[in-house]
Amino acid sequence: MPLNRRKFLKKSAVTGAGVALTGAVAAPGARAADEVQGGGTRPQRYAFTVLGTTDLHGNVFNWDYFTDQEFDDKAHNDIGLAKISTLVNQVREEKGRRNTLLIDAGDTIQGTQLSYYYAKVDPITAKGGPVHPMAQAMNAIGYDAAALGNHEFNYGIPLLRKFEEQCRFPLLGANALDAKTLRPAFPPYSMHRLRTPFGREVKVAVLGLTNPGIAIWDKANVQGKMTFPGLEEQAAKWVPKLRSMGADVVIVSAHSGSSGTSSYGDQLPYVENAAGLVAEQVPGIDAILVGHAHAEIPEYFVTNKETGKQVLLSEPLKWGQRLTRFDFELVWEKGRWAVEKAGARVLNSNVVEEDPEITKLLADEHEKVVAYVNQVIGTNAAEMRSAEAPYKDVPIIDLINHIQADTVKQALAGTEYAALPVLSQAAAFSRSAVIPAGEVTIRDVAGLYVYENTLEARLMTGAQMKAYLEFSANYFVQTAAGTAVDPAKLTNANGTPDYNYDVVSGLTYEIDIARPAGSRVTNVRFEGAPLDDAQQFVFAVNNYRANGGGNFPHVAGARQVWSDSDEIRNIMIAWVKAKGSIDPAEFAAVDWKLTRDGTPVF
């Protein structure tokens, strides 16, 4: 979408030129410095607090739409903006509303059936459509700014623009550029003035940075429209500008983890999780609100290589489970405000009640979505669970692969690829998914496939599929033959998330976890015979993986022979509706198993 420069300049005048005035009301007759005994003066000091959330992923209520009950996990965390609102109100009461700012680090409008409903079922983009629940809640709570996350682009740029229009705070993205002009497609920053009792304002700049991986993960939505250069490059461009504009404090809200790693390999010349690199390489930053990685980092300091200054980082846990609290202490010296001390901690949302103003505001939207997800769409002959899916071939994952392969076969019927065998990949996105015996609802199916991925078909060879399986097998912790196997310690080697462990249907194979990574996959067969390296296959694969997510080999460069714009989740719901019933006996099979020296682990 071309940059609307007039709209951008107008918004910059509001958010960028610093007319958002917050802070303690100046005391009448406040003097330049306090008198102390002996006729000297005491330096002027001022303290303020910045509160931060990230990776809210459509959570307003402490509710799990996939289980149709209050959210709970093993750590008894709570979630949602209604809880965050209570924490924010407490801090504002303590510090004074004018001495606080509230910001977010992205991934706001995707992740729950609440956010899905207002993107797809009753979309905010429709003429006279509703206001997005996340916009309503964040407006009511009083956010000052939010960075763009990669999942903001999942539903396309028009929906994101409508969400932006509905927010009473800027969506920031200094490295989200118009593809033609290479100018910012969103406001890069916002400037906030905090009044002090001394008559001297503190100017706080918030620079928003998003994730370069958008170019891969949402290629269909952004290609030719927007480009996403690296965080370090754009921070180095904008931080000096903010300082030259008089910013006393510079805070970066970055939808990027702190580890310095990437899940898309060398497909882009940028780092996915670059927040720590930004702190290390770009001088002039006081603190970074970190997002994207779904990690909890209460307080973390990185030394800037150029200045030697300590840069403060913090990442609150996802979905509104935590709220970061940055506390800054400033001192007036050499004619300007300078940060004298900074610290951070996270506040836990499970120690407070939901803010009744927020739950009342969105009660109708919540009830609509609960009714929607509880619609019965079919029946199931036998219960299926995903709890053991990360280390056993279970029917519930076979269901995903069965539907994907069936969909691709029908799509390719009558084409030059119709005679090729179809393989399919799937991952256990949730270990708590259940398709019950008896009636099956939308939420049962949606709970199995929680992401907005779409389906593609790519051409792969037998040799490429072996490499693909071998890469996937890195997920397992090497476990010697004869030693005890604890399923809780068997998976997620080197921090590999469950969604980056793929199983493939249409082949049979073994994974020898006693062997080192890179040499684990054995006995790979197709239709009972050893797999021919030259054999061609059609591979049913989600767009995240096909576009390089997870950095699996070969698939991103493979020829695309078909793609669909509808979410896999919707394909699955429609499949169950059309068929009317699910019978695991029709598709469940043990295609893969873990072994040690040829002996099955389970």
Side-chain angles (χ1 to χ4, degrees), residues 18-26 46-50 96-102 144 191-205 248-249 251 328 330 337:
V19 299
L21 300 180
T22 56
V25 178
Y46 171 70
F48 72 99
T49 295
V50 177
R97 174 68 176 86
R98 294 173 179 266
N99 300 314
T100 63
L101 294 173
L102 175 60
D144 294 288
M191 191 77 79
H192 310 269
R193 298 176 186 265
L194 306 180
R195 294 176 182 170
T196 74
F198 310 105
R200 296 187 173 110
E201 295 173 337
V202 174
K203 294 178 72 173
V204 181
D248 300 295
V249 181
I251 298 168
F328 297 93
L330 276 58
W337 289 107

Side-chain angles (χ1 to χ4, degrees), residues 303-323:
T303 302
N304 183 266
K305 285 185 175 180
E306 183 173 328
T307 65
K309 178 182 174 180
Q310 294 289 291
V311 183
L312 174 62
L313 281 69
S314 180
E315 180 176 6
L317 203 56
K318 64 185 185 298
W319 305 348
Q321 294 178 40
R322 303 287 187 274
L323 173 71

